[in-house]
Amino acid sequence: MLDKRTKWLLLLSLMLGMAMAPVACVLAGTGCTITTAIEDGRKFKADICVPNPGGGADYEMSFDLEFDVDPDDPGSLQNLTVPCVGFSVDVLDAGEIANIDSRLPDPANQAIDPALPLRVTIEPPVGCGLAFKDDYDAEFDATNLTWVAQSPYRLMKAPIGGSFVDITAEVLPGSVRSRGCSGTFSEFVMVVDSVQDYANEAIAAYADLGLALNDNALGPTARSTLKSDHGVSQAAFVAGNYAEAIARLDDLKAHCGVLGGPALPNAWRSARDLVNLEGELVSKTGHVRFLLGRLNGDP
């Protein structure tokens, strides 16, 4: 079993590895390896195999973070190296699973799947200088799991020890690939949602997005533009025109990309002194879009 000391040694070995070359951590006494690398200068990738403490099949998955890179802005992504990502993964014990389940949006109906009791943590070291603009795409690709249409798996993210939010933007075949985006970091887990009430979830997700559009950091022109997109999309949703609602959310996302900057703060750095509102708005928009897609017949 991976105890706390083993988890720390795993994290330490990853941080001491070469910055750009693949870093492999072989877990002592097992046939498992965790390999991390930076690909194409914009993607962090971890191929994960950790032993099952109960003696069953190993837990296998990959975890990716892919950042937006603006070719006209050399500073849009800085210091993306394996050590600067601050990656770790652990197998959750019963107490940790109970803790995470209690922090999910719907603890009565959402839970860690015993087939994949893994938590990925991304905590970039403050002094490393990782910085990016806009948002990143995060993906769990769970080899242990089997995809079915209307898959109940969801990708959740939380600040360390905080409440999880559903950032699912897609659930794709290929084992099970759950994908979302964000502008901040910390804990990531994949969970099972046993009661998928897309309509009521969409109502709540629209409300959450609308609340975020009231953030004082948002400039008045940007707020007016994005609130208009939100309102038109929500009206189409209420009318049952899901395709139109999705199209207007695409407008909102595109406008976030254009407005990012002083009117819509869009930067994050490891000093944690900036608020990446653009990344969070895009994340919330992507999740509403996922729910509307399911209502519109997406698998």
Side-chain angles (χ1 to χ4, degrees):
M1 180 174 179
L2 295 179
D3 57 20
K4 298 297 183 184
R5 180 176 179 275
T6 304
K7 295 173 188 175
W8 166 244
L9 290 175
L10 169 58
L11 176 58
L12 181 62
S13 68
L14 294 172
M15 292 179 67
L16 292 177
M18 294 178 63
M20 299 300 290
V23 178
C25 175
V26 180
L27 303 182
T30 78
C32 278
T33 301
I34 298 175
T35 302
T36 55
I38 302 299
E39 298 181 349
D40 301 324
R42 61 185 295 169
K43 178 190 284 189
F44 168 81
K45 184 174 183 63
D47 290 315
I48 299 165
C49 172
V50 291
N52 184 334
D58 296 332
Y59 300 124
E60 297 185 60
M61 60 165 286
S62 65
F63 178 80
D64 299 348
L65 293 175
E66 185 166 1
F67 295 84
D68 285 335
V69 176
D70 183 350
D72 297 323
D73 182 2
S76 61
L77 178 60
Q78 301 176 44
N79 299 314
L80 178 61
T81 66
V82 168
C84 286
V85 168
F87 163 85
S88 63
V89 60
D90 60 321
V91 180
L92 301 166
D93 61 29
E96 290 168 324
I97 289 174
N99 173 268
I100 286 178
D101 287 350
S102 73
R103 294 190 279 135
L104 295 173
D106 184 6
N109 298 305
Q110 296 170 338
I112 294 287
D113 188 340
L116 193 74
L118 300 182
R119 167 175 52 194
V120 168
T121 302
I122 302 294
E123 277 291 282
V126 173
C128 227
L130 177 65
F132 68 93
K133 291 183 179 179
D134 299 329
D135 55 277
Y136 61 81
D137 292 323
E139 180 178 290
F140 260 69
D141 187 351
T143 308
N144 292 73
L145 306 179
T146 301
W147 183 86
V148 295
Q150 301 291 302
S151 173
Y153 289 101
R154 301 289 185 89
L155 180 59
M156 301 282 176
K157 181 182 77 76
I160 296 294
S163 297
F164 280 91
V165 295
D166 192 338
I167 64 168
T168 310
E170 294 179 287
V171 183
L172 304 170
S175 303
V176 174
R177 291 188 294 142
S178 185
R179 181 181 295 167
C181 67
S182 186
T184 59
F185 293 115
S186 287
E187 299 177 77
F188 296 87
V189 294
M190 187 188 289
V191 307
V192 174
D193 190 338
S194 60
V195 178
Q196 301 191 78
D197 185 354
Y198 303 124
N200 282 323
E201 287 183 59
I203 291 171
Y206 267 115
D208 184 49
L209 177 58
L211 185 64
L213 291 172
N214 290 326
D215 194 295
N216 290 332
L218 195 59
T221 301
R223 178 181 289 109
S224 176
T225 299
L226 299 179
K227 279 200 165 189
S228 175
D229 294 335
H230 174 272
V232 174
S233 175
Q234 189 172 30
F237 159 68
V238 171
N241 189 344
Y242 304 130
E244 177 67 12
I246 289 170
R248 301 291 72 80
L249 284 179
D250 289 342
D251 288 344
L252 194 158
K253 180 179 178 180
H255 286 144
C256 282
V258 172
L259 293 167
L264 174 57
N266 67 332
W268 186 96
R269 59 189 178 192
S270 59
R272 293 163 175 78
D273 58 343
L274 301 175
V275 176
N276 187 355
L277 181 58
E278 191 270 356
E280 292 306 288
L281 291 177
V282 170
S283 177
K284 293 176 186 296
T285 300
H287 182 56
V288 180
R289 195 185 191 286
F290 164 75
L291 297 169
L292 294 177
R294 286 287 177 90
L295 287 168
N296 203 39
D298 289 352

